[in-house]
Amino acid sequence: MDLGGRGLSLQYQCLLLVYFHVKLLTFWLHSNKVNNMEEKYTFVYIESKKYKRLQDPSIQELLLKWSVKGNLKFQTYCFNQHFQLYQKQELANAFFQDHVIASTLQTMSLSGSWAPVGIVATSVDVEHIPCSATTMAIFSCLQDSSNGIVRSDGWIVQRPYEEIDNYTVADELRNVLLNHDCHNYKLISEAHREEFLFRLFKHLCLGGQWCQYEDNIKPYINTTKILYKDIIRVQKHPATKEVTITSIVLKVVARGSDGIAYFPRNPENEQNFAYLIVDPYNRQITTLVHHYGGTFQS
């Protein structure tokens, strides 16, 4: 009888140990989940960050000619947590609701000068923009003279003047960029048009309010390449040497409590744009914003 009672006692003790281990594990998992939920993104402004390629005098001269200089701004922030694409809305919300951002992030004021946004967002529209291009091959169809957009030396083919979406179209390059009914429109696939590299190119081609258009396509392509390389991060596979993009690009529209967009303002104009370019490995965000009207800077 004593052996039987002792056996039951040991069995009971084992069950108790298993029970307490399960309870402890459940408690730890719950606590860890709560702690993770309570963790918030925090941001630090890197005011000293420079974009060296863009400071080249020849690039600055082109940006001035295209009425982009003074209306295009880059700023860089670091953040404190791991980030993956599925967290894009969470990151964007945290970014625009952070008081550091409200006091340092610049937007174009109604008077046409740059100033801190000064408010936290009530809502943020977020769109993931594909960013996979590692060469300029996406523009080969535009540079092929047989397509009638440019001649063999890169000079852009002119055409009769017309207005499309409030932009002056007097050449085949802007025609293929804006005119959905253009016979060359399908030369560029919708997938390529969505690529961040192509978007940058289009933004530069359309320019600002007082844009002086180029007669040759090469300055647009070269400047796009320089801008892209300055703000997009890549990594090279150690064995294959293959280069891949690590940056994640988010197109954003931040709105205040009145529902009015302030970053960027008037996003209905496609030249009023704002992007968050996220480097998840170095935990940095580069903001890129442009306002179509803005100021004329000499």
Side-chain angles (χ1 to χ4, degrees):
M1 293 292 295
D2 290 340
L3 288 174
R6 191 175 299 165
L8 288 172
S9 178
L10 288 171
Q11 185 180 28
Y12 180 69
Q13 290 178 34
C14 288
L15 288 172
L16 281 175
L17 284 171
V18 170
Y19 173 78
F20 283 118
H21 276 297
V22 170
K23 292 293 286 183
L24 283 170
L25 180 60
T26 303
F27 176 77
W28 180 84
L29 289 172
H30 175 73
S31 298
N32 192 53
K33 182 178 180 181
V34 169
N35 288 336
N36 287 338
M37 289 174 63
E38 290 176 349
E39 288 181 2
K40 295 181 179 180
Y41 285 105
T42 57
F43 305 92
V44 176
Y45 181 32
I46 309 176
E47 192 171 1
S48 61
K49 174 70 175 179
K50 303 296 181 186
Y51 302 91
K52 295 181 180 179
R53 295 184 182 94
L54 287 172
Q55 299 310 310
D56 182 279
S58 62
I59 298 300
Q60 288 294 305
E61 185 178 345
L62 287 171
L63 296 181
L64 173 63
K65 183 179 180 181
W66 302 335
S67 189
V68 170
K69 185 178 180 179
N71 300 317
L72 182 73
K73 184 171 283 290
F74 303 84
Q75 292 178 266
T76 299
Y77 296 83
C78 61
F79 60 97
N80 65 325
Q81 288 194 56
H82 178 71
F83 171 75
Q84 294 186 49
L85 179 57
Y86 74 88
Q87 298 168 304
K88 64 182 186 295
Q89 188 69 58
E90 179 185 351
L91 178 67
N93 288 346
F95 185 81
F96 286 104
Q97 291 170 2
D98 188 278
H99 289 283
V100 170
I101 304 304
S103 63
T104 59
L105 183 66
Q106 302 271 310
T107 192
M108 190 69 72
S109 69
L110 295 175
S111 63
S113 59
W114 291 101
V117 295
I119 59 173
V120 295
T122 301
S123 65
V124 184
D125 302 334
V126 185
E127 178 188 359
H128 173 232
I129 302 301
C131 185
S132 60
T134 57
T135 71
M136 304 299 284
I138 197 172
F139 303 112
S140 59
C141 62
L142 297 180
Q143 295 177 284
D144 184 345
S145 59
S146 67
N147 290 324
I149 298 168
V150 301
R151 298 186 180 89
S152 58
D153 52 5
W155 294 100
I156 302 169
V157 176
Q158 302 300 299
R159 69 184 310 277
Y161 167 92
E162 67 176 308
E163 286 273 327
I164 299 177
D165 297 335
N166 297 316
Y167 292 98
T168 301
V169 175
D171 59 59
E172 292 298 340
L173 175 58
R174 262 154 287 279
N175 194 37
V176 78
L177 292 178
L178 292 170
N179 187 0
H180 291 254
D181 297 325
C182 167
H183 70 281
N184 275 330
Y185 189 84
K186 292 184 178 180
L187 282 175
I188 310 161
S189 69
E190 290 302 323
H192 282 169
R193 287 178 183 272
E194 287 298 310
E195 275 283 332
F196 184 58
L197 177 64
F198 191 87
R199 286 171 176 256
L200 283 179
F201 174 78
K202 184 178 179 180
H203 287 320
L204 293 177
C205 288
L206 296 182
Q209 188 172 359
W210 299 281
C211 178
Q212 301 174 56
Y213 296 136
E214 294 294 325
D215 293 322
N216 196 294
I217 196 173
K218 292 177 183 177
Y220 293 127
I221 290 179
N222 292 340
T223 306
T224 299
K225 181 178 180 179
I226 289 169
L227 175 57
Y228 192 69
K229 290 180 69 173
D230 226 14
I231 59 178
I232 294 298
R233 297 294 166 259
V234 300
Q235 66 179 8
K236 184 181 290 186
H237 192 282
T240 64
K241 307 302 180 184
E242 181 184 4
V243 175
T244 56
I245 304 291
T246 59
S247 295
I248 295 173
V249 180
L250 307 175
K251 185 178 181 181
V252 294
V253 177
R255 304 178 189 276
S257 58
D258 55 5
I260 298 175
Y262 65 87
F263 193 88
R265 296 189 184 280
N266 303 319
E268 296 79 14
N269 184 331
E270 69 174 304
Q271 285 299 88
N272 291 334
F273 56 82
Y275 298 99
L276 301 185
I277 302 160
V278 185
D279 178 353
Y281 292 94
N282 294 313
R283 295 185 178 179
Q284 290 188 356
I285 295 175
T286 296
T287 62
L288 167 58
V289 62
H290 176 264
H291 292 273
Y292 179 71
T295 60
F296 180 81
Q297 191 175 88
S298 61

